[in-house]
Amino acid sequence: MSDQIQLVEMGPRDGLQNEKTPVSVEARIAFVEALVAAGLNTVEVGAFVSPKAIPQMASSDQVLRGVSHIKGAEFHVLVPNEKGYDAARAAGAEVVSVFAAASEGFSRANINCSVAESIERFKPVLARAKADGVKVRGYISCVLGCPFDGEIKPKAVADLAVTLWDLGCYEISLGDTIGVGTPLKAKEMLRAVGSELPIGNLAMHFHDTYGQALANLYAGMEEGVRVIDAAAGGLGGCPYAPGATGNVATEDVVYMLEGMGVKTGIDMDRLLAATSEIAGLLGRPPVSRVASALNAKRRRLGNS
């Protein structure tokens, strides 16, 4: 457990994509700058998807260009197809992400095609990325349950992960999109995938709908996974997963890890400031338990 843990910050993309209040390009750039200043050096900053489908991700090209001056950080963007890849590359993308679902029901609801068809769509992206020297991260949605198909078999997740790996993804992020997983199920799924792929190339992307995300992450760490996706303030959710809440809050993950003696290199004060700023723009408090507790503590101390 003393091994280094890599945090991948999802707030500017996965966090904002399901928020009803639009956030300007300037504010999204400032959010990324604040997150990097807090020590989060790997940040997914946008998605090159249809603005009609997900308007919150409109102008992701401007966001990517707007953060290009930041040194020492790696910025990821989501691309669904070659058109998105073209736009991402034109904006300077050096790392892109593709996504597939472990369930047919979610795939059809999300991108209106079967799992097999979704893979065919991004095969050209992976081929071109390889030729261009661009890294590709692969996401798998609904690894621990689907809002349409119910329970997902670990073998289905493992088979899809192998497909993405064989196509050239350097890392596979395993997403509990609707947050229904529990620790033993998370372990079972990770063991199934880890029996096929190097555990060091897997990441956990767990949403916190039922309050199980931290427990599931701990279970995954016991299995040897060392990459964790999180979103500042617990922002977001999924537009195609009814009732799903946001990704596990970065503050909560950092608090857990630091409490376990795992050094994250994250400045909690700066992270809280970034979270408070974006929460203010969204007009609601952060979902993060740690942010709520520490902000309340500071208010009490300020009033004493």
Side-chain angles (χ1 to χ4, degrees), residues 17-43:
Q17 72 173 9
N18 201 44
E19 294 291 340
K20 294 179 180 178
T21 303
V23 178
S24 69
V25 167
E26 293 75 18
R28 286 154 65 187
I29 291 170
F31 185 32
V32 175
E33 290 173 334
L35 292 168
V36 175
L40 291 153
N41 296 321
T42 305
V43 185

Side-chain angles (χ1 to χ4, degrees), residues 276-297:
S276 296
E277 179 67 24
I278 198 72
L281 292 175
L282 294 170
R284 65 173 182 80
V287 176
S288 163
R289 297 291 183 87
V290 169
S292 298
L294 291 180
N295 286 335
K297 181 179 180 180

Side-chain angles (χ1 to χ4, degrees), residues 199-219:
I199 202 76
N201 294 91
L202 303 181
M204 298 179 288
H205 183 110
F206 296 160
H207 286 236
D208 203 30
T209 311
Y210 290 86
Q212 301 295 298
L214 288 177
N216 294 342
L217 290 174
Y218 185 87

Side-chain angles (χ1 to χ4, degrees), residues 22-285:
V23 178
S24 69
V25 167
E26 293 75 18
R28 286 154 65 187
I29 291 170
F31 185 32
V32 175
E33 290 173 334
L35 292 168
V36 175
L40 291 153
N41 296 321
T42 305
V43 185
E44 190 160 77
V45 301
F48 286 79
V49 295
S50 167
K52 291 182 180 179
I54 306 180
Q56 298 89 336
M57 290 294 101
S59 303
S60 285
D61 58 329
Q62 294 179 41
V63 176
L64 184 56
R65 289 189 177 97
V67 299
S68 63
H69 67 282
I70 303 173
K71 306 302 180 186
E74 182 176 89
F75 298 121
H76 298 191
V77 291
L78 196 67
V79 298
N81 49 37
E82 283 192 274
K83 181 179 179 181
Y85 179 77
D86 286 338
R89 285 291 287 156
E94 296 179 359
V95 185
V96 300
S97 302
V98 297
F99 58 92
S103 74
E104 292 293 342
F106 188 81
S107 184
R108 293 193 179 280
N110 188 4
I111 51 177
N112 197 32
C113 68
S114 69
V115 175
E117 288 169 338
S118 72
I119 292 168
E120 291 302 317
R121 285 184 186 179
F122 59 66
K123 272 184 180 179
V125 171
L126 283 148
R128 290 180 57 188
K130 183 177 181 180
D132 294 342
V134 172
K135 294 167 61 179
V136 183
R137 193 176 199 239
Y139 287 109
I140 301 180
S141 304
C142 298
V143 299
L144 292 172
C146 170
F148 308 101
D149 296 350
E151 193 168 333
I152 302 298
K153 294 186 182 303
K155 186 179 185 306
V157 180
D159 289 347
L160 183 54
V162 169
T163 297
L164 291 173
W165 177 261
D166 288 345
L167 286 172
C169 292
Y170 75 93
E171 186 169 87
I172 311 297
S173 178
L174 301 161
D176 183 10
T177 310
I178 56 173
V180 295
T182 49
L184 291 181
K185 288 185 177 180
K187 278 179 174 282
E188 183 183 11
M189 180 273 295
L190 290 167
R191 284 174 184 168
V193 181
S195 68
E196 301 287 343
L197 300 178
I199 202 76
N201 294 91
L202 303 181
M204 298 179 288
H205 183 110
F206 296 160
H207 286 236
D208 203 30
T209 311
Y210 290 86
Q212 301 295 298
L214 288 177
N216 294 342
L217 290 174
Y218 185 87
M221 289 172 62
E222 288 187 320
E223 293 301 311
V225 183
R226 291 293 178 266
V227 184
I228 295 173
D229 294 356
L235 290 170
C238 177
Y240 302 99
T245 58
N247 207 330
V248 64
T250 308
E251 297 89 342
D252 297 358
V253 175
V254 170
Y255 183 87
M256 180 182 78
L257 292 175
E258 293 282 349
M260 293 165 55
V262 179
K263 298 303 179 185
T264 63
I266 306 301
D267 184 320
M268 183 66 85
D269 288 340
R270 288 189 169 189
L271 177 55
L272 288 173
T275 297
S276 296
E277 179 67 24
I278 198 72
L281 292 175
L282 294 170
R284 65 173 182 80

